[in-house]
Amino acid sequence: ALFAYWRGLAICAAGGKYSRLCSALPHLTPQERLCIYSLALHLRLFGDGHYRSGTFQNDLAKNLRNVALPATGVPLSVFCSCRPLALLFAWLLLPLAALVAAVRRPSSGGGSLGGAFASSLLSDWSWFHYWRLNCVLASYHALATSDPGYGLEDKQLFLAACERQGVAASLSL
């Protein structure tokens, strides 16, 4: 699982398309490949513009300042301070965290440590995975389309637009 993860990350972080990932790692499930691809997309967009925060890096740092690496208290935003640190996190620390999770996971049905590690690394989809996927897809779409609607993420702009259109929204001062 670790070598597949690293291979997939290398392919995608270097600009490889999802279809290339599928042909390079056909033994992985679509969900496992999506996990790798979405993480690599974070790395690819890292220094690119962002509709809400200047750069994708800044948006990640803001969003992850209150989310900690489990059992450490270390905010994930620390790993967003520069691209080399983000790469280190993706390549080494995330797999290490998956290994710790696999070791700490109660064994049900006599599963192997390797299976638990693969599951922790590639297919345990918690709220965090879905949230991260939503963030990167919205950022990627905004960057690819330059849709001005993303400007409405700013609450003041949103409320002003609602007022101009006569749409009831939350109270503003």
Side-chain angles (χ1 to χ4, degrees):
L2 182 59
F3 292 116
Y5 170 80
W6 282 339
R7 184 173 182 212
L9 209 53
I11 289 167
C12 297
K17 295 186 177 205
Y18 183 76
S19 58
R20 177 144 187 263
L21 181 65
C22 292
S23 61
L25 300 170
H27 62 285
L28 295 182
T29 67
Q31 182 178 351
E32 291 167 335
R33 289 191 298 262
L34 180 60
C35 180
I36 294 169
Y37 189 80
S38 67
L39 181 60
L41 195 53
H42 281 75
L43 298 172
R44 283 174 41 193
L45 295 178
F46 197 76
D48 289 347
H50 191 271
Y51 61 92
R52 183 177 50 218
S53 298
T55 66
F56 187 70
Q57 173 189 1
N58 290 340
D59 195 62
L60 276 175
K62 286 178 190 175
N63 285 328
L64 296 176
R65 67 181 177 245
N66 295 319
V67 180
L69 194 59
T72 68
V74 176
L76 292 178
S77 60
V78 167
F79 304 105
C80 300
S81 60
C82 64
R83 186 175 176 80
L85 204 50
L87 288 167
L88 174 73
F89 179 78
W91 282 93
L92 298 176
L93 296 178
L94 192 60
L96 181 60
L99 178 61
V100 170
V103 168
R104 294 183 64 171
R105 176 181 294 167
S107 179
S108 58
S112 69
L113 178 60
F117 171 71
S119 178
S120 291
L121 184 62
L122 298 172
S123 60
D124 279 351
W125 281 64
S126 65
W127 68 268
F128 182 69
H129 288 88
Y130 291 109
W131 174 68
R132 196 182 79 208
L133 181 61
N134 179 63
C135 290
V136 77
L137 289 178
S139 299
Y140 187 62
H141 183 265
L143 191 62
T145 65
S146 300
D147 188 322
Y150 284 99
L152 295 177
E153 286 277 328
D154 179 296
K155 185 163 185 160
Q156 293 303 317
L157 293 176
F158 174 77
L159 291 174
C162 287
E163 194 171 307
R164 279 193 311 274
Q165 298 294 322
V167 175
S170 63
L171 297 176
S172 63
L173 300 174

